[in-house]
């Protein structure tokens, strides 16, 4: 697999796009480490690599993912996220320990957080819903990325109408969080939830609007009808 890792890195270097290199940092407040490769090419590289390693054991693929995460390069983190998602049919209950390590030790920006959580961890939670309790623990973490992860992991499941009560539990834990990326994360979770449970999310927002940060509130109501948005934004 060392040759695979070296080939990935050389392909990323060969794929550097000058404009992407100039603009990549613009999307982040924190300093990120990047090659400057377009996301579409990163996705293609991920698929090509998976074609070469799909017969490898899950453990070997996770080790490769871990090495990609350790580099700190955002493009390598995306490839790790993609590879770990491509093998979702092989997930087992204990894999949550691997995913938790990645969030806690390696995630340093919202894009890596969301890519990992929306697909890999979100799919895992759908497959093993008993582990939703772990997300509730993440919501209490001192690590801002763990807290954001507790919410954005549920974006896709929430659109399917799943985990409504658990979503409100996590929103309650994060409600007064002062970190804007956490506020946006749980606001996004509520917005996604409103696609299947508009009435319930609206009721929740109205009940919390006096104390909910405006950033979270605006995200939560974004897909609601104008009349509901006006009611939610109205100052008492």
């Amino acid at each position: 697999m060392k040759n695979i890792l070296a080939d990935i890195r050389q392909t990323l270097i060969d794929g550097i796009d000058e404009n992407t290199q100039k603009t990549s940092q613009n999307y982040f407040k924190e300093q990120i480490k990047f090659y400057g490769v377009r996301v579409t090419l990163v996705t293609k590289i991920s698929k090509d690599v998976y074609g070469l390693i799909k017969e490898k054991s899950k453990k070997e693929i996770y080790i490769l993912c871990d090495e990609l995460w350790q580099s700190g390069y955002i493009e390598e983190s995306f490839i790790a996220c993609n590879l770990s998602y491509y093998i979702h049919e092989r997930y087992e209950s204990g894999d949550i320990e691997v995913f938790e390590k990645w969030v806690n030790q390696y995630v340093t920006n919202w894009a890596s957080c969301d890519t990992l959580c929306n697909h890999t961890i979100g799919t895992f939670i759908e497959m093993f819903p008993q582990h939703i309790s772990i997300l509730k623990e993440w919501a209490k973490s001192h690590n801002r990325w763990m807290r954001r992860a507790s919410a954005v992991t549920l974006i896709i499941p929430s659109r399917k109408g799943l985990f409504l009560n658990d979503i409100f539990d996590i929103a309650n834990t994060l409600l007064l969080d002062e970190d804007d990326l956490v506020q946006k994360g749980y606001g996004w979770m509520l917005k996604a939830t409103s696609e299947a449970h508009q009435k319930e999310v609206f009721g929740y927002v109205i009940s919390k609007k006096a104390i909910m940060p405006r950033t979270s509130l605006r995200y939560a109501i974004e897909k609601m009808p104008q009349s509901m948005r006006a009611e939610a934004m109205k100052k008492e």
Side-chain angles (χ1 to χ4, degrees):
M1 295 286 261
K2 286 186 177 179
N3 290 340
I4 294 286
L5 187 61
D7 288 346
I8 289 170
R9 289 172 174 161
Q10 187 58 56
T11 305
L12 288 168
I13 290 169
D14 293 343
I16 290 172
D17 174 74
E18 187 175 334
N19 186 60
T20 303
Q21 198 172 49
K22 288 179 180 177
T23 60
S24 290
Q25 183 60 55
N26 297 346
Y27 300 98
F28 304 89
K29 291 181 180 178
E30 60 279 343
Q31 190 67 38
I32 65 164
K33 189 176 176 182
F34 57 89
Y35 291 93
V37 179
R38 291 178 183 272
V39 173
T40 51
L41 179 55
V42 173
T43 301
K44 181 183 183 302
I45 294 170
S46 303
K47 290 177 179 176
D48 290 345
V49 170
Y50 182 62
L52 297 173
I53 67 170
K54 61 184 178 182
E55 302 303 326
K56 299 287 188 181
S57 70
K58 184 177 67 174
K59 181 179 179 180
E60 288 176 292
I61 293 173
Y62 281 166
I63 289 172
L64 175 61
C65 291
D66 208 82
E67 290 175 326
L68 290 163
W69 276 110
Q70 287 180 46
S71 76
Y73 280 96
I74 194 168
E75 293 94 342
E76 292 193 32
S77 79
F78 291 163
I79 294 172
C81 293
N82 291 336
L83 294 177
S84 63
Y85 173 67
Y86 294 158
I87 60 170
H88 65 267
E89 292 181 354
R90 294 196 243 170
Y91 289 168
E92 299 169 276
S93 179
D95 291 352
I96 189 61
E97 295 179 10
V98 175
F99 305 149
E100 184 174 55
K101 173 191 172 185
W102 292 349
V103 177
N104 195 34
Q105 293 188 16
Y106 301 142
V107 168
T108 58
N109 62 80
W110 63 263
S112 296
C113 182
D114 297 359
T115 304
L116 176 62
C117 294
N118 284 177
H119 303 291
T120 297
I121 307 181
T123 299
F124 174 87
I125 291 295
E126 284 192 49
M127 293 172 66
F128 300 97
Q130 67 270 27
H131 287 308
I132 194 102
S133 59
I134 290 177
L135 299 187
K136 295 179 183 180
E137 291 303 312
W138 292 5
K140 302 172 188 175
S141 173
H142 292 297
N143 183 335
R144 71 190 300 202
W145 304 116
M146 295 285 281
R147 301 200 305 279
R148 182 176 172 96
S150 72
V152 299
T153 290
L154 296 175
I155 298 299
I156 294 175
S158 70
R159 289 173 179 155
K160 301 174 183 178
L162 302 175
F163 305 122
L164 181 63
N165 291 332
D166 300 299
I167 284 165
F168 288 147
D169 287 344
I170 289 170
N172 282 337
T173 300
L174 300 176
L175 187 64
L176 301 179
D177 202 295
E178 295 181 356
D179 191 303
D180 68 318
L181 287 173
V182 177
Q183 292 173 8
K184 291 173 181 176
Y186 88 78
W188 182 20
M189 175 183 69
L190 291 172
K191 175 172 66 176
T193 305
S194 75
E195 294 181 33
H197 294 288
Q198 184 181 89
K199 179 181 176 182
E200 291 86 348
V201 173
F202 180 70
Y204 178 83
V205 169
I206 291 297
S207 72
K208 306 292 185 184
K209 63 181 265 187
I211 57 173
M212 182 183 284
R214 300 298 269 187
T215 297
S216 304
L217 192 154
R218 289 191 186 96
Y219 266 74
I221 64 176
E222 190 174 336
K223 290 198 172 184
M224 293 184 186
Q226 171 59 30
S227 59
M228 286 183 166
R229 297 202 306 272
E231 178 66 23
M233 294 298 292
K234 187 166 61 178
K235 294 185 177 180
E236 299 299 332

